Amino acid sequence: MADTAGPSVPPILPLYVLYCEVCTFPPEYCEFGSSVSKCKSWLAEEHPELYDKYWSDEALVKKIGTLSLENQKKLDDDSAKKEAKAEAKASLAEKKRKESKITIKRVERNKRKHVTSVQGLEAFGVDLKKASKLFAQKFATGSSVSKNLQGLEEIVVQGDVTEEIVDMIIDQVGVLKGVPEKNVVRVEEKKKKGGDDE
Amino acid sequence: MFKKFSPKEDIASQTSIKSSVQRHIRASLLKQFPLLAQGEGEAQVLEHIWPKKENITLVKCKEHISIFALHGEPLFFQHFDGPFFPTLRLLHKYPNMCPQVGIDRGAIKFLLAGASMMCPGLTSAGGMLPPPEHSIPEGAVVAIMAEGKEHAAGVGLMKMDSEQVKKVNKGVAVESITYLGDDLWSLKNIS
């Protein structure tokens, strides 16, 4: 390996680089991210001295450096476009998230025995493993995360605990925080396929 | 390498590794990054990054990528038995651990989109290549710096000798391995 450049003072201490909380890049790279204006306002609020360093007029002039003005304009346009795109994507994802449903299904195993399967919790940022652990603890039954026929992950809880799970979501217990009760759909699956929504 | 990487699908296994293997990894890290060997005993730089007593986890991923993580935080990664690459966050902490090359402003955009770095981006006015006496050999791990920025934007692998880059001035000079905003960057913690 070639030598590292620069003088190396004996105790080399790690350098702590500040990262933008909006786009996670070091602030000097925010301009290449997809949320420039948000990053800018964050930086102006949290670290005004850095904001001056990166976004003041003279810094902008310096930044253009070897690039021609035309290119610079193109770059700016690009970043604006990128930002708009990212925003549209985010809002679409948000909308989708709001619409996505949590299905709580009661499935008959044999005559009097049932299992309850819960689908769609992951869309609300719930860790399925943790949630299944919570159910197992709460109901003192077996509970596992498994893939269903469609290849989607679901939580399967032994026993009919539909009501209790709905109550837990309403009460926002533990990891279920942030799951809207409005999106819960209850389905009962018998031998013949059928269901009643609530 | 990490342009598309989803921890859920691409991680095959996570294991803590034998201490003898860890010793071996430590030795090769020290050999590859002389900076890490600086300082004695407790003060050694590697000791800061990865204390001797701590056990490192080997995260095996698809396509023969292995990531070495400490408490879930990725530190180094490796492809097959190739050289170790530091993750970008680690490189930011110790910017001098690899030799540095610089790219001009025009190339930053492409680097952050995952492209390899072409010679002209390094040889132009905004670019930076080390002087001949510190030339970087082919196959070396380098930090990709950017014009007007103080922190590295990516980690790369030299595809040519740095002197050759100046001479040929055409084609791929540095393959970008990981860069700001790729999926390894977003992966702050492997759980």
Side-chain angles (χ1 to χ4, degrees), chain A residues 1-5 8 10 12-17 19 23-26 28-29 31-32 53-54 63-64 66-67 72 75 78 153, chain B residues 8 32 35 38 45 48 89 92-98 105 108-109 112 125 134-135 146-147 149-153 180-181 185 188:
Chain A
M1 265 320 109
D3 285 348
T4 42
S8 43
I12 300 173
L13 289 174
L15 197 72
Y16 286 100
V17 180
Y19 296 118
C23 63
T24 72
F25 289 4
E28 51 182 1
Y29 285 104
E31 51 177 320
F32 294 100
K53 190 170 158 199
Y54 296 131
K63 215 168 65 175
I64 293 170
T66 56
L67 272 189
Q72 183 58 35
L75 216 68
D78 273 359
E153 295 212 307
Chain B
K8 222 175 195 170
Q32 197 190 329
L35 177 110
Q38 272 169 28
V45 179
H48 249 282
R89 279 198 174 77
H92 281 160
K93 284 186 195 167
Y94 298 94
N96 288 329
M97 67 192 280
C98 314
R105 241 188 97 73
I108 300 178
K109 195 175 103 188
L112 300 196
H134 287 295
S135 77
E147 182 191 358
K149 312 282 184 199
E150 46 184 313
H151 302 301
L180 271 182
W185 175 261
K188 280 178 204 158

Side-chain angles (χ1 to χ4, degrees), chain B residues 63-85:
Chain B
E63 281 164 31
H64 307 282
I65 296 170
S66 17
I67 303 175
F68 299 95
L70 183 66
H71 302 308
E73 186 195 342
L75 292 179
F76 294 96
F77 58 94
Q78 186 182 27
H79 182 240
F80 271 117
D81 285 331
F84 290 94
F85 298 102

Side-chain angles (χ1 to χ4, degrees), chain B residues 1-21:
Chain B
M1 206 183 265
F2 289 100
K3 189 161 188 189
K4 266 221 171 93
F5 183 84
S6 77
K8 222 175 195 170
E9 284 157 30
D10 295 335
I11 291 180
S13 73
Q14 285 190 41
T15 40
S16 50
I17 27 187
K18 275 197 283 188
S19 62
S20 59
V21 182

